[in-house]
Amino acid sequence: MLTAEDKKLIQHIWGKLSGAEEEVGAEALWRMFHSYPPTKTYFPHFDLSQGSDQIRGHGQKVVAALGNAIKNLDNLSQALSELSNLHAYNLRVDPPRFSLQFLSQCLQVVLASRLGKEYSPEVHSAIDKFMSAVAAVLAEKYR
Amino acid sequence: MVHWSAEEKQLITGLWGKVNVAECGAEALARLLIVYPWTQRFFAAFGNLSSPTAVIGNPKVQAHGKKVLSSFGEAVKNLDNIKQCFAQLSKLHCDKLHVDPENFRLLGDILIIVLAANYGKEFSPACQAAWQKMVRVVAHALGHEYH
């Protein structure tokens, strides 16, 4: 699915976020809760007010996991194996192909708003494919 | 009927006022054809779509993108009456064009990303939420007359 060119673009664009990972993650989550209120149902235990420590913390976790996946693009299944188990057996978030689509959209909005023209159609395509691949791996063990 | 808060209307019409419909429309349609290449199935008559550069430079893509987004502009002017506004277009997309309504959702999401790239910080979370609702309503209206 991901071509060599896609992988290069993904790693390059991700490199640009260096230092801003926590912000990017928190903003993506906040946008997701705002645009897709049903996603909040998975976080009844969180303080979901803007700028909350829990959103920041969780955003950082999510972005770190994606960053790790990006370092292991040739072996996503293995890199995300633990998370795949977690989502399937523990979290049981509605199959990622639905929910991750919302997170993917919001993450891309954050990237596009920060990178402007640099979020070119080619980069957009590569990131979209990457998030699809992540969703597929996370959903692998659902049933 | 869809309920729009005053704030949502302001966020939608306010941003729309700044949008260059021709450029934005062309960019959104080009990205649809690049990011989701299977959508090219509807545009066999458009000529060269063989690479991102070809798609972006294709005059038919640009013209059609402008047409599509201008139509979207009608929805912005008629927020309280979107379903009616798109009834004819819905029939057209079903009966003549045979477009799977899922594609409307894809284009809507891409439009949002184009707006984010063009407006940066101004495309706040509240702004995005209003626009996500907007594209969802438009997609729904376009699919409404399908049978």
Side-chain angles (χ1 to χ4, degrees), chain B residues 31-45:
Chain B
R31 283 179 187 249
L32 181 74
L33 299 173
I34 292 165
V35 179
Y36 306 115
W38 55 88
T39 58
Q40 292 175 22
R41 70 190 296 275
F42 301 112
F43 301 100

Side-chain angles (χ1 to χ4, degrees), chain B residues 114-129:
Chain B
V114 169
L115 292 175
N118 280 298
Y119 296 101
K121 287 239 160 293
E122 201 182 334
F123 199 64
S124 66
C127 196
Q128 179 187 356

Side-chain angles (χ1 to χ4, degrees), chain B residues 2-54:
Chain B
V2 183
H3 171 74
W4 302 96
S5 71
E7 194 200 355
E8 282 170 335
K9 286 189 176 185
Q10 170 49 36
L11 286 167
I12 291 167
T13 58
L15 191 69
W16 187 254
K18 305 185 185 183
V19 169
N20 179 324
V21 173
E23 262 178 46
C24 199
E27 200 185 336
L29 186 62
R31 283 179 187 249
L32 181 74
L33 299 173
I34 292 165
V35 179
Y36 306 115
W38 55 88
T39 58
Q40 292 175 22
R41 70 190 296 275
F42 301 112
F43 301 100
F46 273 27
N48 188 3
L49 298 176
S50 60
S51 70
T53 312

Side-chain angles (χ1 to χ4, degrees), chain B residues 48-66:
Chain B
N48 188 3
L49 298 176
S50 60
S51 70
T53 312
V55 171
I56 294 165
N58 186 312
K60 287 189 174 170
V61 171
Q62 290 166 0
H64 197 71
K66 176 180 175 182

Side-chain angles (χ1 to χ4, degrees), chain A residues 27 30-31 34-36 50 101 105-106 108-109 112-114 116-117 119-122 124-125 128, chain B residues 27 31 34-36 52 56 105 109-110 112-113 116-118 120 123-126 128-129 132 136:
Chain A
E27 193 185 333
W30 174 252
R31 283 179 182 268
H34 216 72
S35 281
Y36 307 105
Q50 188 162 22
Q101 152 195 315
Q105 173 73 355
C106 292
Q108 291 199 58
V109 164
S113 68
R114 280 169 179 257
K117 290 253 160 279
Y119 202 69
S120 67
E122 290 88 336
H124 179 167
S125 177
D128 198 274
Chain B
E27 200 185 336
R31 283 179 187 249
I34 292 165
V35 179
Y36 306 115
I56 294 165
R105 190 189 63 72
D109 276 355
I110 288 211
I112 301 259
I113 289 177
N118 280 298
F123 199 64
S124 66
Q128 179 187 356
Q132 293 285 174
R136 190 163 60 235

